C-alpha cells in the first residue's frame, strides 16, 4: 500500500512467532550479507537478538531456514537455506494477498485516521 498503514502478518506456532515481518527482514539481510552479524548491523539490532531470532526460526520449522558455519581461518558465515528462500517467497506472497484483500477497508481507516504528526486534540 502507498500509505503508512499496513497489515503485518505473523505465522504462529503455539505462542511462538515462527515467522513475521522482522524475521523476513532478517532472512533477507542474511541472504544479502552472508553473515548474521552483518545482517544484524544493517538492521540496527544486536548480534545476540539476531542469533536468537535465527535460532527461533530454525526450531519452529522442520528444516533450518539459516545454515551457519563456525568461524576459523576462512571465517564463519551464514546462508539462507532453500527452505528459507521458499518461506520468504511464500510469506511475501501471503503479505501481498492480505494487503490486497483488505485494501478497501484500509483506505477507509486511512481516510479517518489523524496524521502521525497531527494527532486529534492537539
Amino acid at each position: 500500500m502507498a500509505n503508512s498503514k499496513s497489515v503485518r502478518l505473523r505465522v504462529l506456532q503455539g505462542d511462538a512467532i515462527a515467522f513475521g515481518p522482522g524475521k523476513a527482514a532478517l532472512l533477507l539481510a542474511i541472504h544479502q550479507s552472508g553473515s548474521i552479524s552483518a545482517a544484524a548491523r544493517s538492521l540496527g539490532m544486536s548480534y545476540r537478538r539476531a542469533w536468537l531470532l535465527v535460532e527461533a526460526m530454525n526450531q519452529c520449522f522442520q528444516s533450518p531456514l539459516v545454515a551457519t558455519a563456525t568461524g576459523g581461518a576462512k571465517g564463519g558465515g551464514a546462508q539462507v537455506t532453500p527452505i528459507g528462500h521458499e518461506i520468504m517467497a511464500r510469506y511475501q506472497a501471503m503479505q501481498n494477498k492480505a494487503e490486497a484483500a483488505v485494501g478497501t477497508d484500509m483506505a477507509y481507516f486511512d481516510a479517518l485516521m489523524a496524521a502521525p504528526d497531527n494527532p486529534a486534540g492537539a
Side-chain angles (χ1 to χ4, degrees):
M1 292 186 165
N3 59 45
S4 62
K5 286 85 176 163
S6 65
V7 175
R8 298 185 80 186
L9 291 177
R10 285 175 178 77
V11 178
L12 303 176
Q13 182 190 51
D15 291 334
I17 298 171
F19 206 77
K23 289 177 179 169
L26 179 58
L27 272 191
L28 180 59
I30 291 169
H31 169 70
Q32 292 171 339
S33 68
S35 161
I36 295 173
S37 60
R41 279 191 303 276
S42 75
L43 296 172
M45 74 172 63
S46 71
Y47 172 78
R48 176 163 170 70
R49 175 75 177 137
W51 178 254
L52 290 173
L53 290 173
V54 166
E55 201 170 58
M57 283 187 281
N58 283 349
Q59 289 176 358
C60 285
F61 291 89
Q62 293 178 9
S63 299
L65 305 190
V66 176
T68 59
T70 307
K74 295 184 179 183
Q79 67 179 32
V80 179
T81 63
I83 188 78
H85 284 287
E86 181 66 23
I87 293 294
M88 281 195 302
R90 288 189 180 244
Y91 177 79
Q92 187 58 55
M94 289 169 48
Q95 184 71 35
N96 292 343
K97 288 176 191 175
E99 287 180 3
V102 298
T104 302
D105 296 313
M106 289 301 286
Y108 175 80
F109 273 82
D110 190 39
L112 297 177
M113 294 179 88
D117 58 343
N118 188 22

